[in-house]
C-alpha cells in the first residue's frame, strides 16, 4: 500500500520501427513518456524533434466520420434504460479484443451510405423550412382574397403591401385621410405591427409613398400566383409530400442503427490509435534513430523489456534503472488495497504525493470513515447506503471508477450504522431505540468526544511527519518539528484540563513543565534555517505563534458534533410534521407519507453531502497540513480512456 516504485528508461530504436514499437507498448499500457522536446540540452547536441506522421490527419478524419455516424444513429437507436441498462452496462474488452473487433468492422461504405441518406434528408428538411417560412409570411395576408399575381396588374393605380408599427395606426390614418383617391385597410396584426394594404391612384402615389415612409412603413413582397389562402394550402400539400420522403429516408437510417455498437468500438479504437501516433511528439531523433525516455513501474521492468525486445527484434539499445527518490519528474502511480483504493479519489482531489513522500490514502481512510459516520449517524440512512451500493456492486456492470465510487459509499455505510446505534437514531427517531449517548441531552459529551478525535487525528498527522523525517535520517528534525510540539500541546492540554474536571495538582504542575519545555524548544529551533541570530529568534517566536492555529484546529472538530446533531434534529422535525398530518384523516395520512418519504430523502442527501464535504475539509486542512505537501505528477497510462466500452 504505497506509491509504486518507478524505473526510468532510455531507449534507442530505429525510426522505421517506431510504429510497431508504439503498437506493442500500447498493449503493455504501463509506460509514461517524458517530453524530450522540452529538453533544450538534448537539442543543442543536434537531436531533432520527431515530426508527427501525416497519418494523424487521416486518423482524425476517420474519427470525425465515425463520430458523425454515432451522433446521427444515437437519435434512432433504442438503448436499454433504467435498471436494465445499468445491469447490462458497457461491454468489457481488453485492448487486444478491442483491436481485433475494430479491424473486422468495415465502416467506410456504411459512412458513405449514411452520409448520402442524411444529406438527402437534410436537403428536404431545408426545403420544408423554406416552405414553412413562406406560409408564415402569407398567413398574415390570408384575408386578402385577390390572387397575388393580379396585384401588380393595375394600370391606373398602385397597391402598397407591408407593415407599420401599431403605435402609428392613428397617425397614418389621419395623414391618409387628406387624400381623395386612396384606400387603406388593415389585413391582420401581430404583437407589434399592422399588416396593411394601401391602394392609391397614380396621381397620389408619391404623396402616399412619402406618408408611409415617414411612418416606418416596411414593404413586403408576396410570392405566389393564387390567393394567399390557396397558396398556403398548396404549400401545405407540398410539405406533406416532402415529409413523406423524409420519413422514408429516416426509415432507411433507422434500419442502419443496429450498427451503432460496432461504430462505438471503432471510435474507441481510433482514439487510441491517434494517441499512439501523436505520442511521437515526446521523442527526439537523429537521422534514423529515435531517442525515447520515460518511466515504467519497477516491478514491470522485465515485462517492458520483453515487449521492447519482441517489437524491435533485438535491434535496439535499452537502459533501465530505478528512479532517484528525489527526482521531481517521476510520475505517481498509487497501489493500494481494494479498501484504500476507494479513497484514492480524495487524495487525487487534493494532490498526488511526490515520489519521496508517503501515500496518505491508507492513513486518511479510517479517519474519514469515522468522521463521515459520526456526522451522518443514522441506522436507517446507513442501511439505505449499504443496500443501495451492495445491489449496484452485485447486479450492475460498472466500470472500475464506478465500482470504486460504489465501494466508497458502501464502506461509509458501516460507520454510519454504528454511530446511529450509538446515538439511538433510526430515520430521525421514527423508531425509539436505546442510545449509548443521547444527542438531545449529552451534546457536551459528544463535543468532548469530537475534540478528542481531533487531538488524536492531529497527533497522528504529526507522527507521520516525524516518521518521514526519521525515514530520511533527519532525527533532529523529528525532535524539533514534532517532538517539541507534542510536548507543548500535550502539556497545554494537561495544564488546562482542571478547568473541565478534577485532577491531581501534580499532573497540572508536570504538564506545565512539559509545556514550557516544548515551547522553549519550539522557540529555540523554529527559526534554525535562518542565518542571523535575530532571524533565528524571530523565526522561533513565529513558530510558537502557530500554537494558536492548533487551537483553531481543535475547535474545527466540533463540526463532528454539530452536523451529527443537525441531521438528527431535522429528521426528528420531519417525523413530527408527518405525525401531525397522520392525525388528519385519509388525506392527512397521504400527505404525511409524502412528507416523511420526501423529507427523509432530502435529509439523507443534505446530511450525506454535508458529511462528505466537512470530512474532506478535516482531512485536507487539519490533517494534511501537518505532514503532507503533494504536487506529484500523475502517471499517464499509454491508453486513451474509452468512451463507449470498459477497456481492461
Amino acid at each position: 500500500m504505497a506509491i509504486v516504485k518507478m524505473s526510468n528508461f532510455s531507449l534507442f530504436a530505429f525510426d522505421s520501427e517506431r510504429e510497431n514499437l508504439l503498437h506493442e507498448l500500447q498493449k503493455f499500457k504501463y509506460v509514461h513518456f517524458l517530453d524530450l522536446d522540452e529538453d533544450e540540452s538534448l537539442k543543442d547536441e543536434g537531436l531533432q524533434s520527431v515530426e508527427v506522421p501525416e497519418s494523424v490527419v487521416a486518423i482524425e478524419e476517420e474519427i470525425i466520420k465515425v463520430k458523425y455516424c454515432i451522433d446521427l444513429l444515437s437519435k434512432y437507436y433504442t438503448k436499454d434504460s433504467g435498471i436494465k441498462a445499468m445491469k447490462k452496462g458497457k461491454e468489457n474488452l481488453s485492448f487486444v479484443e478491442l483491436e481485433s473487433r475494430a479491424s473486422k468492422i468495415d465502416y467506410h461504405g456504411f459512412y458513405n451510405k449514411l452520409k448520402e441518406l442524411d444529406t438527402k434528408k437534410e436537403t428536404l428538411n431545408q426545403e420544408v423550412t423554406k416552405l414553412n417560412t413562406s406560409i408564415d409570411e402569407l398567413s398574415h395576408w390570408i384575408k386578402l382574397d385577390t390572387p397575388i399575381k393580379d396585384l401588380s396588374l393595375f394600370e391606373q393605380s398602385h397597391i402598397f403591401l407591408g407593415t407599420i408599427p401599431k403605435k402609428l395606426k392613428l397617425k397614418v390614418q389621419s395623414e391618409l385621410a387628406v387624400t381623395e383617391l386612396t384606400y387603406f385597410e388593415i389585413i391582420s396584426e401581430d404583437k407589434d405591427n399592422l399588416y396593411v394594404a394601401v391602394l392609391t391612384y397614380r396621381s397620389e402615389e408619391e404623396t402616399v409613398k412619402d406618408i408611409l415612409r415617414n411612418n416606418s412603413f416596411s414593404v413586403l413582397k408576396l410570392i405566389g400566383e393564387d390567393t394567399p389562402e390557396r397558396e398556403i394550402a398548396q404549400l401545405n400539400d407540398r410539405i406533406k409530400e416532402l415529409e413523406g420522403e423524409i420519413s422514408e429516408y429516416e426509415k432507411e437510417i433507422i434500419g442502419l442503427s443496429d450498427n451503432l455498437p460496432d461504430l462505438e468500438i471503432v471510435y474507441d479504437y481510433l482514439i487510441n490509435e491517434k494517441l499512439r501516433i501523436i505520442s511521437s511528439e515526446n521523442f527526439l531523433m537523429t537521422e534514423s534513430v529515435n531517442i525515447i525516455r520515460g518511466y515504467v513501474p519497477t516491478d514491470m521492468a522485465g515485462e517492458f523489456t520483453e515487449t521492447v525486445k519482441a517489437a524491435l527484434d533485438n535491434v535496439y539499445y535499452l537502459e533501465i534503472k530505478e528512479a532517484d527518490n528525489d527526482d521531481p519528474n517521476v510520475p505517481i502511480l498509487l497501489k493500494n488495497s481494494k479498501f484504500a483504493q476507494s479513497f484514492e479519489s480524495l487524495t487525487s482531489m487534493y494532490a498526488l504525493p511526490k515520489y519521496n513522500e508517503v501515500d496518505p490514502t491508507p492513513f486518511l481512510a479510517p479517519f474519514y470513515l469515522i468522521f463521515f459516520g459520526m456526522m451522518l449517524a443514522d441506522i436507517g440512512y446507513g442501511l439505505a447506503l449499504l443496500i443501495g451500493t451492495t445491489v449496484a456492486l452485485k447486479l450492475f456492470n460498472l466500470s472500475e471508477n464506478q465500482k470504486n465510487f460504489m465501494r466508497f459509499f458502501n464502506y461509509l455505510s458501516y460507520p454510519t450504522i454504528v454511530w446511529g446505534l450509538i446515538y439511538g437514531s433510526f430515520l430521525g427517531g421514527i423508531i425509539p431505540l436505546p442510545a449509548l449517548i443521547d444527542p438531545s441531552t449529552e451534546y457536551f459529551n459528544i463535543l468532548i468526544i469530537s475534540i478528542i478525535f481531533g487531538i488524536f487525528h492531529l497527533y497522528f498527522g504529526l507522527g507521520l511527519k516525524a516518521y518521514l523525517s526519521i525515514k530520511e535520517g533527519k532525527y533532529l528534525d523529528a525532535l524539533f518539528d514534532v517532538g517539541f510540539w507534542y510536548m507543548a500541546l500535550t502539556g497545554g492540554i494537561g495544564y488546562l484540563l482542571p478547568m473541565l474536571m478534577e485532577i491531581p495538582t501534580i499532573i497540572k504542575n508536570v504538564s506545565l513543565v512539559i509545556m514550557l519545555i516544548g515551547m522553549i524548544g519550539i522557540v529555540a529551533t523554529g527559526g534554525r534555517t535562518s542565518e542571523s541570530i535575530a532571524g533565528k529568534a524571530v523565526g522561533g517566536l513565529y513558530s510558537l505563534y502557530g500554537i494558536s492555529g492548533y487551537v483553531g484546529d481543535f475547535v474545527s472538530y466540533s463540526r463532528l458534533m454539530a452536523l451529527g446533531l443537525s441531521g438528527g434534529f431535522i429528521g426528528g422535525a420531519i417525523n413530527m410534521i408527518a405525525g401531525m398530518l397522520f392525525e388528519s384523516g385519509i388525506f392527512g395520512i397521504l400527505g404525511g407519507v409524502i412528507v416523511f418519504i420526501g423529507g427523509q430523502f432530502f435529509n439523507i442527501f443534505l446530511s450525506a453531502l454535508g458529511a462528505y464535504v466537512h470530512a474532506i475539509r478535516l482531512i485536507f486542512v487539519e490533517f494534511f497540513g501537518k505532514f503532507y505537501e503533494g504536487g506529484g505528477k500523475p502517471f499517464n497510462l499509454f491508453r486513451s480512456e474509452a468512451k463507449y466500452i470498459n477497456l481492461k
Side-chain angles (χ1 to χ4, degrees):
M1 296 189 295
I3 300 170
V4 174
K5 288 295 181 183
M6 290 288 165
S7 293
N8 52 30
F9 69 87
S10 295
L11 174 62
F12 293 74
F14 283 112
D15 186 65
S16 58
E17 298 296 325
R18 184 204 319 157
E19 185 175 347
N20 186 51
L21 171 65
L22 292 175
H23 180 265
E24 295 304 312
L25 289 180
Q26 194 166 47
K27 291 181 183 178
F28 173 69
K29 183 169 115 173
Y30 286 92
V31 56
H32 175 102
F33 296 118
L34 282 175
D35 187 0
L36 300 182
D37 195 49
E38 298 177 351
D39 194 333
E40 295 298 329
S41 63
L42 291 176
K43 288 188 174 182
D44 291 341
E45 295 178 8
L47 297 176
Q48 301 175 346
S49 300
V50 173
E51 293 185 6
V52 176
E54 294 181 0
S55 58
V56 72
V57 178
I59 290 294
E60 288 174 343
E61 291 176 353
E62 297 302 301
I63 291 173
I64 291 172
K65 290 179 181 179
V66 174
K67 191 65 169 65
Y68 165 82
C69 295
I70 291 173
D71 291 341
L72 179 58
L73 293 182
S74 295
K75 301 174 185 176
Y76 306 101
Y77 184 76
T78 303
K79 290 188 175 182
D80 295 326
S81 58
I83 300 297
K84 187 176 180 180
M86 290 187 285
K87 289 179 68 175
K88 183 178 179 181
K90 296 179 180 178
E91 189 172 4
N92 300 303
L93 294 176
S94 67
F95 186 81
V96 174
E97 290 170 334
L98 173 65
E99 185 177 39
S100 175
R101 290 272 297 274
S103 65
K104 296 175 183 177
I105 299 171
D106 181 15
Y107 61 90
H108 296 93
F110 176 78
Y111 164 78
N112 293 331
K113 177 65 175 176
L114 195 60
K115 182 70 174 178
E116 179 185 358
L117 292 172
D118 188 45
T119 300
K120 290 179 179 179
K121 185 174 79 73
E122 286 305 311
T123 300
L124 296 180
N125 277 327
Q126 290 176 10
E127 187 175 348
V128 169
T129 300
K130 291 180 181 178
L131 293 176
N132 280 320
T133 301
S134 298
I135 289 174
D136 288 340
E137 293 173 352
L138 289 171
S139 64
H140 298 291
W141 306 96
I142 200 166
K143 292 181 180 179
L144 194 66
D145 57 2
T146 303
I148 295 172
K149 65 179 181 179
D150 294 343
L151 296 176
S152 60
L153 299 180
F154 298 109
E155 294 183 1
Q156 301 300 321
S157 60
H158 181 78
I159 188 167
F160 295 94
L161 300 176
T163 62
I164 60 172
K166 271 187 173 182
K167 60 185 179 181
L168 299 177
K169 174 183 176 181
L170 297 178
K171 182 173 181 292
V172 172
Q173 288 176 329
S174 64
E175 291 182 8
L176 289 176
V178 301
T179 61
E180 297 179 356
L181 303 172
T182 297
Y183 173 73
F184 174 83
E185 182 179 351
I186 298 173
I187 306 300
S188 66
E189 62 182 68
D190 59 22
K191 181 181 178 182
D192 300 310
N193 298 304
L194 300 174
Y195 292 80
V196 301
V198 183
L199 181 64
T200 183
Y201 199 72
R202 293 288 183 182
S203 61
E204 295 183 350
E205 181 179 349
E206 291 301 320
T207 301
V208 171
K209 186 184 293 186
D210 288 339
I211 292 173
L212 293 175
R213 183 172 57 247
N214 293 333
N215 286 278
S216 302
F217 178 76
S218 178
V219 178
L220 294 177
K221 184 178 181 181
L222 301 184
I223 299 175
E225 298 288 325
D226 215 328
T227 64
E229 184 176 8
R230 291 174 184 168
E231 285 291 328
I232 289 174
Q234 293 173 17
L235 292 174
N236 280 324
D237 290 340
R238 177 56 181 159
I239 288 174
K240 289 181 180 178
E241 292 178 11
L242 293 174
E243 288 177 342
E245 295 179 37
I246 291 170
S247 179
E248 291 301 316
Y249 286 129
E250 283 189 343
K251 288 179 182 177
E252 291 190 58
I253 294 174
I254 291 172
L256 298 172
S257 63
D258 288 342
N259 294 279
L260 180 62
D262 286 343
L263 290 167
E264 291 175 342
I265 286 175
V266 171
Y267 178 86
D268 279 335
Y269 176 72
L270 290 176
I271 289 295
N272 276 282
E273 188 174 354
K274 178 183 176 182
L275 173 66
R276 193 161 68 231
I277 295 172
I278 64 175
S279 64
S280 302
E281 294 178 333
N282 297 305
F283 310 157
L284 292 178
M285 65 179 296
T286 62
E287 186 174 342
S288 59
V289 175
N290 286 175
I291 292 87
I292 306 170
R293 290 181 180 174
Y295 294 88
V296 294
T298 300
D299 60 357
M300 303 180 76
E303 186 180 348
F304 172 73
T305 302
E306 290 300 318
T307 301
V308 172
K309 182 178 179 181
L312 300 177
D313 197 23
N314 285 327
V315 184
Y316 65 92
Y317 172 78
L318 176 64
E319 181 180 283
I320 303 179
K321 62 179 180 179
E322 286 197 24
D324 186 273
N325 202 44
D326 295 319
D327 183 355
N329 294 315
V330 180
I332 303 303
L333 189 65
L334 303 180
K335 184 178 182 180
N336 286 298
S337 65
K338 185 177 290 188
F339 166 73
Q341 190 177 359
S342 302
F343 294 82
E344 285 181 0
S345 60
L346 300 180
T347 300
S348 300
M349 193 187 303
Y350 183 85
L352 288 172
K354 293 180 180 178
Y355 191 59
N356 58 3
E357 284 189 304
V358 66
D359 176 13
T361 308
F363 305 109
L364 72 85
F367 288 108
Y368 192 91
L369 284 171
I370 295 171
F371 297 159
F372 184 94
M374 191 172 181
M375 286 187 276
L376 190 54
D378 187 279
I379 300 171
Y381 297 166
L383 287 174
L385 286 177
L386 177 61
I387 295 170
T389 54
T390 300
V391 169
L393 288 168
K394 294 292 184 182
L395 300 182
F396 300 157
N397 179 22
L398 305 174
S399 67
E400 198 57 39
N401 286 337
Q402 290 170 331
K403 287 180 182 178
N404 283 332
F405 181 77
M406 287 298 169
R407 288 194 197 102
F408 175 70
F409 281 100
N410 184 268
Y411 293 136
L412 292 177
S413 67
Y414 296 104
T416 301
I417 294 172
V418 170
W419 279 102
L421 289 169
I422 293 173
Y423 289 170
S425 176
F426 186 92
L427 295 180
I430 191 68
I431 300 176
L433 295 174
L436 294 178
I437 302 175
D438 186 350
S440 62
T441 58
E442 299 180 80
Y443 46 84
F444 185 74
N445 291 338
I446 298 175
L447 175 62
I448 296 300
I449 292 172
S450 300
I451 300 300
I452 291 173
F453 275 137
I455 293 172
F456 182 75
H457 195 214
L458 296 178
Y459 274 36
F460 191 84
L462 285 171
L464 287 175
K465 183 176 183 179
Y467 164 76
L468 292 174
S469 296
I470 293 172
K471 183 180 177 182
E472 296 175 6
K474 301 176 180 178
Y475 302 106
L476 289 179
D477 285 355
L479 172 63
F480 297 157
D481 296 333
V482 178
F484 286 144
W485 277 106
Y486 272 157
M487 296 174 71
L489 293 173
T490 305
I493 293 170
Y495 182 73
L496 297 174
L497 205 56
M499 297 173 62
L500 302 175
M501 63 179 67
E502 291 186 10
I503 61 173
T505 305
I506 189 172
I507 294 179
K508 178 180 179 180
N509 295 334
V510 170
S511 296
L512 177 60
V513 173
I514 293 174
M515 179 183 69
L516 292 175
I517 293 173
M519 288 180 170
I520 293 170
I522 292 170
V523 173
T525 62
R528 62 185 181 278
T529 56
S530 299
E531 296 182 0
S532 65
I533 296 176
K536 293 180 185 296
V538 172
L541 290 172
Y542 183 76
S543 296
L544 181 61
Y545 178 72
I547 202 167
S548 61
Y550 278 92
V551 175
D553 290 343
F554 292 150
V555 173
S556 289
Y557 289 88
S558 63
R559 70 188 68 229
L560 297 174
M561 172 201 70
L563 267 75
L565 294 182
S566 64
F569 290 152
I570 292 173
I574 292 168
N575 295 338
M576 186 182 299
I577 295 171
M580 289 188 291
L581 290 172
F582 283 147
E583 299 173 358
S584 305
I586 184 65
F587 293 107
I589 292 174
L590 291 174
V593 171
I594 294 172
V595 168
F596 176 75
I597 295 175
Q600 292 295 349
F601 269 111
F602 173 76
N603 193 35
I604 188 175
F605 170 77
L606 194 65
S607 298
L609 179 62
Y612 174 80
V613 171
H614 286 281
I616 287 177
R617 187 202 179 281
L618 291 175
I619 297 293
F620 286 0
V621 178
E622 276 71 31
F623 187 56
F624 280 0
K626 301 300 175 286
F627 72 98
Y628 185 61
E629 182 178 351
K633 302 175 181 178
F635 186 97
N636 295 321
L637 298 173
F638 194 25
R639 294 274 178 86
S640 285
E641 186 173 351
K643 185 175 182 179
Y644 299 106
I645 65 168
N646 292 329
L647 185 57
K648 296 182 286 185

